[in-house]
Amino acid sequence: MTADILRKKFLDFFKAKKHKVVESDSLVPKDDPTVLFTPAGMNQFKREFLGFTSGFNRAATSQRCLRTDDLDKVGKTPSHHTFFEMLGNFSFGDYFKKESIAWAWEFLTKELKIDKERLWVSVYKDDEEAYGIWKDEVGLPDRKIVKLGDKENFWPSEAKTKGPNGPCGPCSEIFFDQGKDVGCKREECDPSCNCPRFTEVWNLVFTQYNRKEDGTLTPLPKKNIDTGMGLERLAAVMQGKENNFETELFAPLIREIIFEVKNDNPDNRPLVYAIADHIRAIVFSIYDGVLPSNEARGYVVRKLIRRSVLYLRSMKTEKPYLYKLVPVVAEIMRAYYPELKARQENIAEIVLAEEKNFIATMNSSESLFRERFQGFIKKQDPEEVGIATFQLYDTYGIPLELTLAWLDKNNISFSRQTFNNELSRQKERSKSQSAMKGDVFSSPDMQYRGIICKFSGYECFSSKAKIIKIIKDNKEVKKLSKGEDAIIILDKTVFYPEGGGQVGDTGELTKGKNAFAVLDTKKSGKAILHTGKMKSGSLKKGDLILASVNYERRMDIARNHTATHLLQAALRQVLGKHVQQQGSLVTAEKLRFDFTHFKDISDEQTERIEETVNDFILNNHKVEVKQKALALAKKAGALAFFGEKYDSKVRVVSVGGVSSELCGGTHLKASGEIGIFKIIQEGSIASGVRRIEAVCGNAAYKVIKAQEQCLRSICMSLNVPQDRLCEEIDKRITRMKHLEKQLDTQTLNALSDSLEELIQGAEVLREIKLITKVIDSLDMNLLRKNIDLIKSKTKSSIIALGSVVGGRAMLVMGLTPDLVVKGLDAGAMIKDIAQIIGGSGGGRADFAQAGGSKPENFNQAFEKLRDIIWKI
Ligand code: ALA
């Protein structure tokens, strides 16, 4: 039975048991700073576990998850993964142990027809209730119900003693017996044994306690169920495989990799498996909007790519290859993730760019080592070297062996102890990022639990509403008086709460002369919070008020929002369909749009993008909004932002035939209302990601007026009419160049005599003539010319000329050809000297230059040069 069938069977099974089948959440949890990546199925339901209303109290999911705490085990064991899918069923204060155990058993033995004899279970040592259900209702014999402790059968693990606070509870696990011939082969082997005989398939968590700060567990009034079953593991069990990597979820990847490395040596298997694992994590992270970078999440992706590249290198594949596996992942996952296919090229480009970068770093590891460790050749410091080695290992992914070989060659000692300490610290860090943190269940906005507030401001900008809650300093109050800051919640509102990149509305809540200024609007669950200040009079809970949005501001925001959609359409027309939204910000002042594109954007392209959007505006396309089923909307080609999680019913905003996007924001009625669209900034913000900032309407008009003003004042200064401005500037530039040339020639002529004097007055050190001089205010170009002149007039000379321009020291050095032939090198000499004038330098054997911040040190620098010559 394939994983696709298993996933479907699981979801259908629980659908029939009245569960809402919810889409997998993104790997990047929203509004949840406690985890870096989604580690389990329950995470998207934290609010429901806490009692927030969401309209359903049973759910089932196949959740994509990412964990990095056991990275070093991946590939070496049959079932450790970074990326995996977790099948889960959940009850929020609805059914409990009895149903969850009975249904799990029914699913495994009836639906999947797994032989009962091969299933064992474990329960928490004190959980008599679960024990009783397994024994009496399911009918398992005592020997097949194993009692385990806090570490194995309490969730979160060891929460009783170590926390986190909040909902927790005992759990019960279901195991598949691989048979007597597998593992330790002891007669008494059972699921408490660490050998591979028993494969843990399903974890049923009975969330029945609330852990308090002092460690006491109090029963929860509403008990929850949270279960998790690894799809990869289940597939392996169902397909009679002992290793997850042998299932069809990995096999095509493994075949491809082995074909590429042309080496099916069993010793390489762990590496091949690890690559097959990592590429899935890489693809899905990028799919969910995480790009390789040095920031927390991006760093995980970068690390997985680098590790994979290194594994490939160790199997002699040194060219970028990983990116070729992206379409293989897309094909394997096609049934549940059809959109992955459409984005595979985009994702592959991102992987390829990162691979190329890293391979270039690896190829220059020699220079990296030299830069990092040079200082330790003279001054041995094994601890510091240990730390630096770890950083190279961690940041660049440089294998330890490679660094150690270099250190050995250069006689630099290294502390393995320090390296190991750094390594375990890093492991702790990533563990704590993957694991549940102390405040996993706590939520600062518990006070808004259960509130549902409808937004009715798409069409109208003011409406009557009732105050249902006032929060001041985190506490509920009955009344607000002039000058007080607070959050007001209404039964319904026309104020748009910040979301989908669009800022929240501002405006006023009034009752006669009593007025509350709304300075921002945000969402918490299904509640809409109006944050602001009492401007005059007072308001109290229960008051009927008039809520009025700042109309001008709202219209400016709408202009920028509709224009953002048009910009995306124009980008896809001008640059190509690979353009994907990476993020956006829509305010009253401007819009900002981040998107994937792997090359620079030329000025001409930027102009075409701007022109295309303005064409859309001139054509005054109608903006239409429709509610559609998510699948239908996506099928019809509406663009979705993958960082966003959508409901099954979505709002589709289309502008004529040019743009169609899933969007909850506020828009114009027709594109013509935008007025003008003007790009004010374009640039790169990360590898493969670019950002455009633009303004619309009045703001765009102001930008154009300011540019006009600037142009006018230039024309006035140059005293030309605007239509002759370019011609005049060209003329002046040509003249300026001509004058500069003349000036150079004159200066050189004037210096020529003194150069003769310089040559005559050269010092002679060990048969080498040394000519040094600081000449006032000569630029680099003239210094260079002087050097050339002197070189043409003398032999066996080293010339060093300095000059001070704008407070900075400039130094140029030249060697006559006979000295170069003898092996002397100006580039090498200037390196030491440059430090003395407070800077750095370099160059060729016959010519070198340096700049620095200490012009007062020229004499010292020349002294150093004498030293160097003496030592030749
Ligand atoms: N949340 C439980 C786990 O992750 C089901 O194992």
Side-chain angles (χ1 to χ4, degrees):
M1 214 179 271
T2 63
D4 282 338
I5 297 176
L6 287 170
R7 201 191 287 110
K8 186 167 177 338
K9 271 189 183 291
F10 179 87
L11 296 175
D12 287 349
F13 178 84
F14 282 100
K15 193 173 174 186
K17 306 248 182 265
K18 308 226 165 0
H19 286 62
K20 181 177 162 77
V21 174
V22 179
E23 228 194 298
S24 169
D25 199 7
S26 161
L27 278 182
V28 180
K30 237 190 162 168
D31 304 324
D32 186 354
T34 64
V35 286
L36 206 52
F37 288 99
T38 299
M42 57 74 61
N43 284 66
Q44 70 162 314
F45 299 116
K46 276 165 64 171
R47 301 179 72 85
E48 284 76 5
F49 277 112
L50 286 166
F52 281 79
T53 337
S54 54
F56 50 89
N57 49 20
R58 293 178 183 191
T61 57
S62 175
Q63 173 65 49
R64 50 184 186 274
C65 302
L66 204 153
R67 294 185 184 177
T68 52
D69 33 350
D70 281 323
L71 197 53
D72 286 331
K73 290 195 187 138
V74 174
K76 296 178 190 146
T77 74
S79 58
H80 273 96
H81 298 294
T82 52
F83 174 86
F84 62 98
E85 285 175 272
M86 187 184 275
L87 302 171
N89 56 296
F90 307 92
S91 152
F92 315 117
D94 186 22
Y95 64 84
F96 200 47
K97 280 183 203 178
K98 208 167 127 136
E99 295 85 345
S100 111
I101 289 177
W103 290 340
W105 190 252
E106 183 185 335
F107 180 71
L108 294 178
T109 58
K110 297 233 167 71
E111 192 64 36
L112 302 188
K113 302 194 170 52
I114 298 180
D115 180 3
K116 285 182 193 150
E117 293 309 312
R118 303 191 72 166
L119 295 178
W120 289 54
V121 302
S122 67
V123 295
Y124 181 59
K125 59 183 174 34
D126 299 335
D127 191 355
E128 292 306 329
E129 190 186 355
Y131 193 99
I133 299 171
W134 281 118
K135 183 174 155 71
D136 304 329
E137 305 198 14
V138 176
L140 280 186
D142 286 315
R143 78 181 169 88
K144 289 180 86 180
I145 312 173
V146 182
K147 290 186 176 182
L148 296 177
D150 286 298
K151 194 160 162 41
E152 300 83 7
N153 275 39
F154 204 86
W155 205 86
S157 177
E158 297 183 281
K160 261 179 138 177
T161 45
K162 296 188 177 160
N165 295 328
C168 58
C171 58
S172 177
E173 291 174 312
I174 307 178
F175 296 82
F176 179 80
D177 182 359
Q178 301 280 3
K180 282 200 177 78
D181 298 335
V182 177
C184 69
K185 303 193 176 70
R186 287 181 306 131
E187 195 54 45
E188 65 280 14
C189 178
D190 70 19
S192 65
C193 180
N194 277 334
C195 83
R197 173 169 164 186
F198 290 93
T199 306
E200 180 207 319
V201 185
W202 204 339
N203 185 14
L204 316 177
V205 184
F206 314 125
T207 320
Q208 65 190 87
Y209 300 115
N210 185 21
R211 185 188 194 273
K212 295 256 176 65
E213 195 54 54
D214 60 3
T216 51
L217 302 183
T218 50
L220 279 172
K222 284 188 163 186
K223 298 178 175 35
N224 305 306
I225 288 293
D226 156 29
T227 85
M229 171 156 61
L231 177 65
E232 296 73 10
R233 226 176 255 192
L234 182 65
V237 164
M238 292 304 293
Q239 293 166 23
K241 317 269 192 208
E242 280 171 33
N243 189 321
N244 296 2
F245 290 101
E246 287 168 23
T247 65
E248 85 291 354
L249 288 170
F250 296 93
L253 286 165
I254 288 161
R255 267 200 306 276
E256 288 285 333
I257 301 167
I258 289 176
F259 183 73
E260 170 66 25
V261 301
K262 297 182 192 67
N263 179 350
D264 195 13
N265 181 344
D267 291 346
N268 285 338
R269 268 306 156 103
L271 300 184
V272 174
Y273 287 167
I275 298 168
D277 168 274
H278 292 0
I279 188 65
R280 290 180 2 126
I282 295 162
V283 167
F284 276 95
S285 302
I286 300 176
Y287 174 79
D288 279 330
V290 185
L291 296 170
S293 73
N294 281 338
E295 308 289 328
R297 286 190 187 98
Y299 187 54
V300 171
V301 180
R302 172 159 284 173
K303 202 156 153 169
L304 291 172
I305 293 179
R306 288 178 170 183
R307 278 181 172 246
S308 309
V309 169
L310 285 172
Y311 296 154
L312 284 165
R313 267 175 103 85
S314 70
M315 294 184 287
K316 308 269 175 298
T317 291
E318 305 206 341
K319 288 211 182 84
Y321 166 69
L322 206 53
Y323 75 102
K324 291 189 184 160
L325 295 174
V326 175
V328 186
V329 175
E331 183 58 34
I332 296 172
M333 304 300 277
R334 190 166 64 168
Y336 203 55
Y337 290 101
E339 299 111 60
L340 194 52
K341 269 227 124 11
R343 294 198 34 221
Q344 65 184 28
E345 269 141 44
N346 214 301
I347 296 174
E349 285 229 44
I350 295 170
V351 176
L352 174 62
E354 183 68 15
E355 271 190 280
K356 276 188 182 159
N357 268 342
F358 182 53
I359 289 171
T361 307
M362 286 295 299
N363 290 342
S364 62
S365 62
E366 176 68 26
S367 59
L368 204 67
F369 289 149
R370 213 170 321 126
E371 185 185 308
R372 210 52 195 254
F373 296 114
Q374 190 80 16
F376 296 110
I377 295 180
K378 285 191 195 130
K379 186 178 80 63
Q380 294 280 343
D381 188 343
E383 266 105 52
E384 274 300 313
V385 173
I387 293 174
T389 304
F390 172 76
Q391 284 163 350
L392 285 183
Y393 165 81
D394 195 49
T395 319
Y396 293 96
I398 309 272
L400 178 62
E401 299 70 40
L402 205 67
T403 314
L404 289 186
W406 193 90
L407 292 175
D408 207 36
K409 200 170 74 194
N410 290 280
N411 292 323
I412 299 176
S413 25
F414 151 87
S415 157
R416 185 173 284 269
Q417 183 62 37
T418 312
F419 178 89
N420 287 344
N421 289 349
E422 290 295 312
L423 189 65
S424 43
R425 263 213 287 275
Q426 165 67 9
K427 276 196 178 144
E428 271 312 305
R429 275 199 297 274
S430 63
K431 217 173 218 145
S432 69
Q433 281 164 347
S434 290
M436 300 288 164
K437 293 253 186 58
D439 52 355
V440 61
F441 279 107
S442 78
S443 166
D445 46 9
M446 284 292 279
Q447 49 217 2
Y448 312 122
R449 183 160 69 157
I451 298 176
I452 298 183
C453 175
K454 195 172 151 24
F455 171 66
S456 59
Y458 283 124
E459 298 293 330
C460 61
F461 307 100
S462 81
S463 109
K464 287 222 160 61
K466 192 164 126 187
I467 297 181
I468 58 169
K469 219 173 211 195
I470 305 174
I471 307 280
K472 191 174 163 276
D473 299 332
N474 275 324
K475 284 194 200 76
E476 187 167 0
V477 295
K478 290 257 168 331
K479 196 178 153 204
L480 272 186
S481 308
K482 188 174 167 188
E484 288 184 312
D485 296 316
I487 292 170
I488 292 186
I489 303 176
L490 305 172
D491 57 347
K492 60 178 192 301
T493 186
V494 286
F495 280 73
Y496 179 83
E498 182 187 306
Q502 181 180 329
V503 292
D505 275 336
T506 62
E508 261 190 353
L509 311 181
T510 52
K511 184 179 172 219
K513 291 208 169 71
N514 307 292
F516 178 82
V518 179
L519 304 174
D520 195 9
T521 311
K522 284 204 161 71
K523 227 181 187 164
S524 167
K526 297 220 179 299
I528 296 179
L529 319 178
H530 307 82
T531 307
K533 198 182 200 78
M534 235 15 242
K535 269 199 330 200
S536 58
S538 65
L539 283 173
K540 59 180 188 315
K541 185 173 170 176
D543 275 349
L544 264 183
I545 51 95
L546 182 70
S548 319
V549 166
N550 178 339
Y551 177 77
E552 291 299 326
R553 183 172 176 276
R554 165 71 84 80
M555 288 308 289
D556 281 339
I557 295 172
R559 262 185 272 280
N560 283 328
H561 204 155
T562 305
T564 303
H565 286 209
L566 294 182
L567 171 61
Q568 173 153 225
L571 287 168
R572 289 166 70 88
Q573 261 187 29
V574 176
L575 302 178
K577 291 275 180 286
H578 61 276
V579 166
Q580 297 272 349
Q581 177 176 351
Q582 287 290 325
S584 92
L585 175 71
V586 177
T587 70
E589 293 75 30
K590 65 175 182 189
L591 65 92
R592 195 175 79 196
F593 189 72
D594 300 342
F595 56 98
T596 42
H597 182 64
F598 302 91
K599 293 185 200 112
D600 285 349
I601 296 181
S602 66
D603 290 347
E604 195 210 336
Q605 282 172 320
T606 311
E607 255 174 49
R608 265 173 51 214
I609 293 161
E610 191 179 275
E611 235 171 65
T612 310
V613 175
N614 280 304
D615 270 351
F616 295 153
I617 295 172
L618 276 178
N619 280 316
N620 200 21
H621 296 291
K622 217 169 142 205
V623 178
E624 275 181 311
V625 176
K626 283 203 180 105
Q627 299 288 336
K628 281 192 183 162
L630 178 63
L632 278 181
K634 282 192 178 169
K635 211 169 173 182
L639 298 181
F641 175 40
F642 45 83
E644 201 74 46
K645 183 163 176 265
Y646 296 98
D647 286 336
S648 48
K649 264 254 175 302
V650 289
R651 189 169 177 264
V652 181
V653 177
S654 41
V655 191
V658 297
S659 153
S660 173
E661 287 190 35
L662 308 191
C663 177
T666 61
H667 285 270
L668 303 167
K669 294 220 156 33
S671 62
E673 289 175 69
I674 295 172
I676 330 165
F677 171 85
K678 189 98 199 65
I679 293 177
I680 51 173
Q681 188 102 273
E682 190 285 319
S684 156
I685 53 164
S687 106
V689 186
R690 306 198 70 87
R691 167 173 291 177
I692 283 186
E693 292 192 347
V695 285
C696 296
N698 218 2
Y701 182 70
K702 278 189 191 146
V703 167
I704 294 167
K705 286 309 275 183
Q707 287 170 349
E708 192 183 288
Q709 185 62 42
C710 175
L711 211 58
R712 202 176 297 143
S713 69
I714 297 174
C715 289
M716 262 166 68
S717 307
L718 299 183
N719 198 18
V720 280
Q722 226 185 76
D723 58 351
R724 279 194 34 232
L725 181 61
C726 293
E727 191 191 320
E728 179 66 24
I729 289 177
D730 278 349
K731 219 165 82 190
R732 283 177 186 241
I733 289 175
T734 315
R735 193 170 141 70
M736 203 167 77
K737 279 193 184 142
H738 177 71
L739 289 176
E740 272 172 0
K741 233 190 193 144
Q742 259 183 359
L743 188 67
D744 281 2
T745 320
Q746 279 174 12
T747 319
L748 276 178
N749 285 343
L751 279 171
S752 177
D753 291 345
S754 56
L755 289 187
E756 279 303 334
E757 245 171 68
L758 261 181
I759 295 168
Q760 297 305 325
E763 310 167 47
V764 181
L765 312 169
R766 303 185 55 190
E767 291 167 10
I768 292 173
K769 278 185 236 155
L770 173 65
I771 300 169
T772 56
K773 171 104 180 143
V774 180
I775 311 173
D776 251 5
S777 303
L778 276 197
D779 66 12
M780 210 39 121
N781 188 29
L782 279 178
L783 281 175
R784 190 192 281 260
K785 282 192 175 146
N786 275 314
I787 296 262
D788 286 345
L789 263 176
I790 300 176
K791 267 172 38 179
S792 69
K793 292 181 184 203
T794 100
K795 273 207 178 109
S796 302
S797 298
I798 295 179
I799 311 125
L801 300 183
S803 178
V804 187
V805 179
R808 279 188 63 80
M810 281 191 310
L811 180 68
V812 285
M813 276 183 63
L815 262 55
T816 48
D818 58 324
L819 292 186
V820 174
V821 170
K822 282 190 184 151
L824 270 55
D825 184 346
M829 290 181 187
I830 210 164
K831 279 213 166 88
D832 287 339
I833 304 168
Q835 283 178 5
I836 301 176
I837 55 163
S840 58
R844 304 186 308 250
D846 62 334
F847 182 85
Q849 62 189 48
S853 56
K854 295 182 181 157
E856 67 277 14
N857 288 354
F858 270 129
N859 282 339
Q860 253 174 280
F862 294 150
E863 203 47 52
K864 174 85 187 172
L865 187 55
R866 283 185 193 102
D867 262 9
I868 294 174
I869 297 172
W870 280 121
K871 284 185 193 145
I872 288 169

